[in-house]
Amino acid sequence: MLRKRGSAILCGAFLFVAWNAVVVLYLWGRPLSGREEREMDGGRGGADLAGDVIHMAEAFEAELEMQRKILLQIQGHRSLWEQPNENGASRGGPPQVVIPILVIACNRVTVKRCLDKLIEYRPSAELYPIIVSQDCGHAETAQMIGSYGSQVTHLKQPDLSDIAVKPEHKKFQGYYKISRHYRWALNQVFNSLSHSSVVIVEDDLEVAPDFFEYFRSLHPILKSDPSLWCVSAWNDNGRDGYVDPGKADLLYRTDFFPGLGWMMIKELWIELEPKWPGAFWDDWMRQPDQRRDRACIRPEISRTLTFGRKGVSLGQFYDKYLRYIKLNSEFVPFTKLDLAYLKEEKYKEIFEKQVYSAPLVKYEEVQRGQLKGAGPFCLHYSSKDGFKVLAKNLGVMEDLKSGVPRTGYRGVVSFLSRGRRIFLAPPPGWSKYDPTWS
């Protein structure tokens, strides 16, 4: 319907412009009438003719302005045709998958900061519907979410009761409720709303300008590569000074599940939902039985930033690490880049060659700034305690989950130190993680 209407506008605009051009040409080229000739003979014609010319020039200028406005209208309709329709298809192009953004909320009215940025940077409401799932029943937060009207879908988790737990786990009641909420919310997204993928953010996250572009570009890889199970916007070691500000387009595979703004597909939820844990769902995701040797994609520079110090974790890691995470500010056109290098076999070969061909250095050389050359450099560890000491002294996160270090890929943690790339790596020949390193 819109295309027919647009064609009619184009046709009408063309006829209008053509008609007025003919009129102008006719007025310029028409022969003088007898009266006009007599007036000119009488000496008055020079002035009258000059007036006619001025009048015609003004009319011509007005006509051009009118035609300019018509062309601008046509251009506006053209942009409408190129926008996605209600089915997520670009008019005249192939359908695009809808990727909903699920915001997990509870009792923080500061969810406004999260939603404001999501709406500001969202390129299409049809392709990226925002679903806010609220637990806790907090009235003020519910009112804040409701103030966005049709810009978001507001879901309310119906079961607000306490969960029966062991006496020693009563202090962890909040973690149990969060896990219950996640399960309910993801069932709403995949089963009730029938979406095929989702990006999950919590109510204390601010997103980067290219947040949507980032996930859109990586969706096909996540769908097609069975060795991947998530895409995350987060770099656990992404503090300013530990990342390369000139490499906003650099992406990695990681064996560590980062969370904090991450995408999953429905097939993974079908796998996980029947055994979803009662609490601590994120650490559960990091266990070998769930990860099954699959990796996530994560960026050099984070596309999310957490501003929520207060929560059930009581600010764990926030003051030391999280508050200093660098949020990307440069828009990277990921959908126009070749990301095939992230496929497992190609990435593994390139990454391991880069790591183990780098000069091997000692910790003292790194710490004292005695490295010669631009890098990268490789620093080995061979035990759990060895890793923790080196990581702590170099300023990167030292904890491991089921033997996997944060941001690690095949045991390697990549970061900047004094402006040089460092690979904190196990010796060559690494084969698997040791779950007792936790």
Side-chain angles (χ1 to χ4, degrees):
M1 185 63 162
L2 184 60
R3 185 171 288 281
K4 289 180 180 178
R5 182 175 157 197
S7 297
I9 292 171
L10 278 173
C11 184
F14 175 77
L15 290 174
F16 182 78
V17 171
W19 169 253
N20 282 282
V22 169
V23 170
V24 170
L25 289 173
Y26 168 75
L27 289 173
W28 274 105
R30 69 185 174 91
L32 294 175
S33 67
R35 177 173 173 270
E36 289 170 331
E37 288 178 346
R38 287 193 299 272
E39 287 177 345
M40 286 192 68
D41 290 341
R44 299 186 303 272
D48 289 345
L49 180 59
D52 285 346
V53 169
I54 293 171
H55 177 72
M56 289 172 63
E58 291 173 346
F60 188 63
E61 185 180 357
E63 202 61 53
L64 287 176
E65 178 63 19
M66 177 75 73
Q67 291 168 19
R68 187 186 70 83
K69 291 179 179 178
I70 291 172
L71 290 173
L72 286 174
Q73 288 181 357
I74 293 169
Q75 189 178 26
H77 282 285
R78 180 183 176 185
S79 67
L80 282 175
W81 304 331
E82 292 175 346
Q83 287 177 5
N85 60 23
E86 63 275 5
N87 298 315
S90 178
R91 295 179 173 93
Q96 296 189 62
V97 67
V98 174
I99 304 176
I101 312 300
L102 174 62
V103 180
I104 300 293
C106 179
N107 58 1
R108 292 187 180 112
V109 292
T110 51
V111 67
K112 181 181 189 303
R113 178 173 168 181
C114 172
L115 292 176
D116 283 348
K117 288 299 181 182
L118 283 170
I119 292 169
E120 178 183 351
Y121 296 138
R122 178 171 63 171
S124 165
E126 291 78 17
L127 290 177
Y128 306 98
I130 297 172
I131 303 164
V132 186
S133 181
Q134 187 191 358
D135 200 0
C136 308
H138 189 250
E140 193 176 354
T141 302
Q143 185 178 5
M144 176 61 69
I145 298 167
S147 70
Y148 287 87
S150 61
Q151 294 182 98
V152 306
T153 298
H154 186 187
L155 305 179
K156 297 181 180 180
Q157 203 280 108
D159 186 359
L160 304 181
S161 63
D162 283 342
I163 299 171
V165 299
K166 300 175 183 178
E168 61 269 25
H169 273 212
K170 282 188 177 181
K171 61 182 178 180
F172 300 130
Q173 181 72 212
Y175 288 101
Y176 280 86
K177 289 185 176 181
I178 287 173
S179 192
R180 176 177 66 186
H181 184 196
Y182 263 83
R183 185 176 201 161
W184 181 84
L186 288 168
N187 275 327
Q188 296 303 305
V189 169
F190 288 124
N191 300 332
S192 300
L193 300 175
S194 301
H195 289 294
S196 61
S197 60
V198 67
V199 175
I200 304 158
V201 301
E202 296 190 356
D203 55 0
D204 61 347
L205 291 181
E206 179 180 331
V207 303
D210 58 356
F211 174 86
F212 295 94
E213 174 81 359
Y214 173 76
F215 283 108
R216 170 68 56 185
S217 69
L218 292 168
H219 183 272
I221 297 176
L222 180 61
K223 287 282 288 183
S224 63
D225 188 346
S227 69
L228 292 172
W229 71 323
C230 88
V231 175
S232 174
W234 181 257
N235 176 359
D236 275 300
N237 289 317
R239 289 185 295 158
D240 205 1
Y242 289 79
V243 295
D244 189 340
K247 295 286 183 68
D249 61 340
L250 181 58
L251 306 179
Y252 298 83
R253 292 175 71 102
T254 176
D255 299 320
F256 190 90
F257 172 73
L260 292 174
W262 59 286
M263 178 167 61
M264 69 184 298
I265 58 175
K266 186 174 183 177
E267 289 79 1
L268 179 62
W269 182 240
I270 291 172
E271 172 192 329
L272 297 179
E273 195 273 341
K275 55 179 182 176
W276 191 251
F280 309 108
W281 68 269
D282 48 352
D283 283 343
W284 175 83
M285 291 274 288
R286 293 163 182 149
Q287 294 173 2
D289 288 347
Q290 280 64 253
R291 190 174 72 82
R292 293 169 49 195
D293 293 326
R294 291 173 291 191
C296 294
I297 294 174
R298 60 100 176 167
E300 168 77 357
I301 303 178
S302 290
R303 265 60 187 185
T304 53
L305 174 71
T306 178
F307 55 85
R309 185 182 185 279
K310 294 182 179 179
V312 293
S313 63
L314 302 177
Q316 184 185 28
F317 299 128
Y318 184 83
D319 289 329
K320 189 173 181 181
Y321 295 104
L322 305 185
R323 67 183 297 180
Y324 302 108
I325 294 292
K326 178 180 175 63
L327 180 67
N328 182 59
S329 58
E330 172 191 345
F331 186 94
V332 176
F334 283 111
T335 55
K336 294 178 172 60
L337 302 182
D338 183 1
L339 303 178
Y341 72 91
L342 291 166
K343 291 282 188 176
E344 182 179 29
E345 290 308 315
K346 190 171 185 179
Y347 185 88
K348 177 183 173 184
E349 179 184 353
I350 294 172
F351 186 77
E352 289 193 337
K353 183 178 180 180
Q354 184 182 25
V355 171
Y356 293 108
S357 65
L360 185 62
V361 296
K362 297 178 180 179
Y363 163 72
E364 291 77 15
E365 295 176 280
V366 180
Q367 187 66 14
R368 295 171 186 169
Q370 297 175 342
L371 299 176
K372 297 179 181 179
F377 300 95
C378 189
L379 178 62
H380 282 174
Y381 68 89
S382 55
S383 67
K384 170 188 171 182
D385 291 339
F387 170 82
K388 291 176 75 70
V389 168
L390 288 172
K392 182 177 182 179
N393 290 338
L394 290 169
V396 296
M397 296 191 78
E398 65 199 72
D399 62 320
L400 304 103
K401 302 290 184 179
S402 298
V404 184
R406 289 182 185 268
T407 75
Y409 176 71
R410 299 187 62 79
V412 180
V413 175
S414 173
F415 59 95
L416 286 194
S417 178
R418 299 174 183 261
R420 290 178 171 87
R421 176 67 57 186
I422 304 296
F423 296 120
L424 183 56
W430 180 95
S431 59
K432 63 180 181 179
Y433 293 104
D434 183 347
T436 65
W437 288 24
S438 293

